[in-house]
Amino acid sequence: MALSGKVCLVTGASRGIGKGIAIQLGEAGATVYITGRSSSPEAAVLGGSLKETADEITARGGTGIAVICDHAEDEQVKQLFEKIEHDHGRLDVLVNNAFSGISVTTKESRLGHRFWEHEAEPGEFWDMINRVGLRNYYICSAYAAKMMVKAKQGLIVNISSFGAIRYMFNPVFSIGKAAVDKMSAFTAQDLKPHNVACITLYPGAVLTESINRIIAEGSNPTITENFKVAGTPEYSGRAVVNLACDKNKMAKSGRITITADLAREYGFTDVDGRQRPSPRQLNVILGIAGYKWLSSMVPNFIYVPNFLLALQGSNF
């Protein structure tokens, strides 16, 4: 119950990574606000609901509070933070996770469209991916910072992905993720004097409901192969809990962190007791690239240094 008495907010937590993070924060004893839209076609297919997540948070030892919020609507977002401030007068942890671009991104990438070929108008396509994502991350961070700066403490975690440093799906997706990473770095500079940390988290491969469904259907052999050693959504939840409890987390402020690397640093495992491989492990990278025979010969302890990963995203 390391986070007993703490107030947290996880956006987009009815399922997937957001749900896993919210549940683990609850297991650590926190009061956890979770958001999601009241209904969506995707939710009907994949299952899961805000109420179910809130109930599980409470069952794990925390207090789950579900708030219906469409993060595409600025006024609803503002009211969400006003509610938290009214109810508790504080916010200790914000996890920016809500993202509406997955379905359109995967659909368009399957169709093989280039960025000028999408059916939607350019501005509309941008908003479909980055309005509930990059833009909303910034808005939520600004509202959260007002409470955290006042309290002289706090943690903002922005969920991003390796699409930020290499082309993934389409340019708009990768542009948004790269901008999230930069947003963390630059907002961290403003927050540093106030003892508020802002950290980017790359969960890596995660067995979300949609991925599990694809694996069960056998409809995408590539995904089935690449997600053999993927972590559960709660693996990233344990990473966020450990970040929140870290008295030296300001040293990580503005930086990109990876769930599997944090697991080794802090000494936690996934909920099944396993230690997942890091996307920085050379054998993992070789395996994904298709060099299975070479991958099997490389020891697990050989990692690609962070500066080499950073060079992937460098255009100098």
Side-chain angles (χ1 to χ4, degrees):
M1 307 298 284
L3 297 180
S4 180
K6 301 294 185 181
V7 179
C8 308
L9 167 61
V10 183
T11 67
S14 59
R15 59 188 179 276
I17 294 171
K19 181 177 181 178
I21 292 173
I23 288 171
Q24 278 296 311
L25 288 168
E27 188 169 292
T31 294
V32 188
Y33 284 79
I34 57 172
T35 67
R37 291 178 295 172
S38 57
S39 62
S40 69
E42 188 179 25
V45 173
L46 297 174
S49 71
L50 275 182
K51 185 179 183 304
E52 289 174 0
T53 303
D55 289 346
E56 187 160 0
I57 290 168
T58 302
R60 296 281 189 102
T63 302
I65 302 174
V67 180
I68 295 172
C69 178
D70 183 348
H71 283 269
E73 300 296 329
D74 293 354
E75 185 58 32
Q76 290 187 32
V77 175
K78 181 180 179 181
Q79 291 173 4
L80 165 67
F81 284 89
E82 288 175 344
K83 174 178 173 57
I84 294 172
E85 186 164 26
H86 176 270
D87 292 350
H88 297 278
R90 64 183 293 173
L91 180 62
D92 300 287
V93 178
L94 164 66
V95 180
N96 280 316
N97 170 73
F99 181 59
S100 63
I102 286 295
S103 58
V104 65
T105 291
T106 53
K107 174 187 175 184
E108 293 293 332
S109 65
R110 286 198 300 270
L111 293 175
H113 288 167
R114 301 303 180 184
F115 75 89
W116 63 90
E117 297 174 334
H118 298 300
E119 294 178 2
E121 291 296 317
E124 180 186 359
F125 188 70
W126 175 275
D127 287 345
M128 290 165 71
I129 294 178
N130 286 327
R131 182 175 179 85
V132 181
L134 171 63
R135 183 179 186 275
N136 181 250
Y137 278 22
Y138 173 77
I139 293 171
C140 288
S141 296
Y143 285 128
K146 292 180 180 180
M147 284 185 272
M148 293 177 176
V149 166
K150 190 184 302 182
K152 293 293 183 184
Q153 64 86 35
L155 169 66
I156 298 173
V157 178
N158 293 319
I159 303 301
S160 186
S161 82
F162 281 94
I165 59 176
R166 59 174 179 256
Y167 185 101
M168 188 177 290
F169 300 123
N170 60 65
V172 178
F173 178 88
S174 287
I175 290 167
K177 296 304 181 185
V180 165
D181 294 358
K182 287 300 184 182
M183 185 181 73
S184 293
F186 296 147
T187 56
Q189 291 186 34
D190 278 2
L191 293 168
K192 185 176 181 180
H194 305 282
N195 194 40
V196 177
C198 184
I199 298 170
T200 295
L201 179 66
Y202 286 7
V206 180
L207 293 168
T208 62
E209 294 88 345
S210 56
I211 293 297
N212 280 324
R213 185 182 63 161
I214 291 171
I215 292 174
E217 293 172 349
S219 58
N220 192 319
T222 300
I223 286 181
T224 300
E225 177 66 24
N226 289 341
F227 279 77
K228 277 184 176 179
V229 291
T232 70
E234 290 190 52
Y235 196 37
S236 290
R238 290 187 170 181
V240 173
V241 168
N242 278 273
L243 285 171
C245 294
D246 188 347
K247 294 181 180 179
N248 297 314
K249 58 179 168 285
M250 289 304 299
K252 291 182 172 64
S253 191
R255 290 172 49 194
I256 296 168
T257 59
I258 300 170
T259 292
D261 290 352
L262 291 175
R264 284 160 178 77
E265 177 183 346
Y266 291 126
F268 65 87
T269 63
D270 206 341
V271 290
D272 59 4
R274 295 172 61 189
Q275 190 69 269
R276 306 296 177 183
S278 169
R280 290 199 302 117
Q281 288 177 220
L282 183 57
N283 55 4
V284 172
I285 295 171
L286 290 171
I288 292 174
Y291 300 102
K292 304 295 183 183
W293 63 273
L294 185 57
S295 171
S296 64
M297 299 172 64
V298 177
N300 288 331
F301 61 81
I302 299 180
Y303 280 64
V304 173
N306 281 325
F307 78 88
L308 287 180
L309 289 182
L311 287 177
Q312 291 187 53
S314 174
N315 298 312
F316 287 100

